[in-house]
Amino acid sequence: MDRSSPLARRLLLGGATLAVAAPAVLRHARGETPIRIGMPVAMTGPGGEIGLQMRHGAEFWAKQQNAKNGLLGRQIEIVAQDTGGDPATCVRKAQEVVERDGCRLLFGMTLSSEALAVVPKLAEWNAIFVSSDNGDGRLTGSSFVPNFFRANISGPMETRVISLWLRKSEFKNFYALGMDYAWGHNSIGVFEDEVKKANKTFLGAVYSPIGTKDFSTYITKIRQSGADACFLVLQGDDNNAFLSQAHEYRLPDKVQLLTSIVDLNSIHAVGDASLGLAGSTRYVFTIDTPSNKDFVAEWRKEYATEPDVFEGEQYQACQILQAGVEAAQSIDAEKLRPALEKVAIDSIKGHVAMRECDHQAVQGGYMVKVERPAGAKAPLPQIIATFPGDAITPACRQMTFDS
Amino acid sequence: MGGVGTLHRGTRPCPPAFDPLRGPIPQAEGEESQHPIALMDFLGFLITQCLNALSQAALLFFLGVGLTLIFGIMRIVNFAHGAFFMLGAYVGYTAVHLTGSFWAALVFAPVAVGLVGAAFELGILRRLYRRDGSAFLMVTFGLTLILGEAIRLVWGVAALEVPSPQSLSGIVFILDEPFPVYRLFLAGAGVVVALAIWQFLERTRLGLLIRATSQNAEMVHALGTDVRLVRSAVFGIGCGLAGIGGVFAAPLVTASLGMAPNAVIDTFVIVIIGGMGSFPGSLIGALLVAFVQVFGTYYFPDLAMAFMYLIMLAVLVVRPGGLLGKEA
């Protein structure tokens, strides 16, 4: 007895350890490690608000799927890392999640500059990156790489939605206000072209430095331009300050304000000052599809609020990745790539089909206007026009439209 | 000319030709009669832009005067001044939502921010007066980071709406140019606060002590006054003024996490232009920056960002201590 006691204890301990570890060990033996998706994303700095939404959207999807036995029977794990919106940091963090955490699937890269820095590395890492918000046309054009897929609407597509809408609109004379850096100048350049193609008048543009707090002078210039509509390329605090002050000066009574992105954060921040604002949107929770209604209902149950633009766009990117992985029955880049190229699903935004030639997801475009429907507590974006995917998607690997 | 609700005309002061925008314009008279209209339009433009500049100057003044008072007494540069400004906006937001009154926020927020400032002086700064200036830079910069993160934790990352009071949310027409009542109120508030501070410094005992301490702290101490208390009070008052600025600014820019870094740069520029430690200097600095900013941006929008720094550069070259600085 004296000699068998330690043995018995050891056996017991060993047995207990085995019993505790067995499910994990067995899962591992069957290849059922979690599917880890790397998400280097800007959570602070420029784009931090957008990055947090992207992360939120991906984590919501992962939680939903994990409750339903995961993806290919494996749990999904989102490995999020803050890039601070800096391309060099983003490349480093992406490398970390690939090499240290073993991720072969990537989401995130909030800013296009970050994505452009990362995509040349994808082949070397043997990783697939599904973008949910990068707007830069070059990613599916001159900088295209086979392991990059764009699930979201691109910048040129966004502008195309506005330009198709303004061709039909009653507005004739346009002015523009943009933030004084590449994004503002590029977007207004594209917009100016579109105005001219629509045989309407572009009166001019003014650019405000990033961080402008007082917009009274710019509001005066817009009013004096004689425009009946003004295109805005502003974001974050600058956008909120402009909308608050434009409302103060009653500018929207006289000039229709158009914007490249209508987002809920900004509407919440400025309240009634957002009323009347029109623009294209990548996603809005009022989209009328069965899949979106389910999504919004479950989102509300989880967070007691509505999903915002980049939360919805991220969720669609997750749906596209999921369809690809399920078709390929693998997350290996060689098998997944051809499967993703053929994805065509009814996502929360409606029908969306990945294009084989440049990996751009062809999808409908929405034009919304901020209104306060009867009984609503706060202003809401309402869809005022919808454009089919083939009308708003440029030709393969192109960034512009011929007509 | 046109009352509330009529469709107002725009103006084109440069070149001074009248350009009809939308709506019918009386054009019955001949060409000569267009000049008075153009002149009136230009006058309207001029007045509204001046009022704009005054309202901006008021906001800048609330920031600058606090910083300069603190510097005058304590010889330290408060890097956390922008953070106190931001804190004022957020506390104002909460006060508006709890009480439903902007006026309550205007009283509560500066007091709360002032108390936080005074507590910081009592608890931390007071222990550092024997150290050299870099200690204050580090500590107040650290406070900026702490306040920023604290605000992020308490109020979240999204910008928050602080509506202007109902009674001030209308517009008036000044020679046909629409102008928000709230900005008129801001400009007025700037004048009132400037007069109040001036009277406070000149007429009250604490004002006298503040002026005396800024000239010779040791003598004041030797005469039996607790200089440490004066310092705490001034730090609290300076932060409270930044807090008022935050509440006033919130309806224009929303309460957001970007307020602090933006504000602190403007404040430094104003104080450097006016002269460190000079109360009238901060007033002149605020007015100068606001007017040059408004008119400069209108006529040369490409240089909008540069104007403030160009004035600072010019002042530093001519008077290195600032316009009314002691070293000058």
Side-chain angles (χ1 to χ4, degrees), chain A residues 43-45 48-49 52 171 180 203 205-221 223-228 236-238 240-245 247-250 253-256 265 267-273, chain B residues 7-13 19 21-22 45 48-49 52 55-56 60 152 157-162 169-171 176-180 182-183 250-254 256-259 262-263 266 293-295 297-302 304-305:
Chain A
M43 295 185 236
T44 55
E49 222 169 83
L52 285 173
F171 304 110
D180 198 2
L203 297 164
V206 64
Y207 298 92
S208 59
I210 298 170
T212 297
K213 293 169 295 298
D214 190 278
F215 281 93
S216 56
T217 317
Y218 299 99
I219 291 166
T220 306
K221 286 183 98 69
R223 243 167 23 81
Q224 291 183 352
S225 71
D228 43 21
D237 293 346
D238 296 47
N240 294 340
F242 174 80
L243 291 177
S244 301
Q245 294 169 31
H247 175 68
E248 221 197 338
Y249 280 88
R250 304 295 187 270
D253 294 353
K254 183 174 158 127
V255 180
Q256 170 66 51
N265 266 336
I267 294 175
H268 291 153
V270 304
D272 284 354
Chain B
L7 204 59
H8 45 269
R9 293 190 306 268
T11 52
R12 243 183 219 176
D19 182 26
L21 298 178
R22 294 170 74 200
F45 161 80
T48 50
Q49 293 307 307
N52 264 333
S55 66
Q56 267 198 59
L60 295 172
R152 189 195 299 274
V157 289
L160 301 171
E161 183 196 10
V162 181
S169 62
I171 45 170
D176 245 14
E177 291 275 325
F179 195 80
Y182 184 71
R183 286 193 185 234
L252 297 179
V253 297
T254 70
S256 67
L257 291 167
M259 287 177 94
N262 268 336
D266 292 0
Q293 193 86 38
V294 163
F295 285 95
T297 306
Y298 183 81
Y299 287 107
F300 309 100
D302 290 346
M305 185 108 117

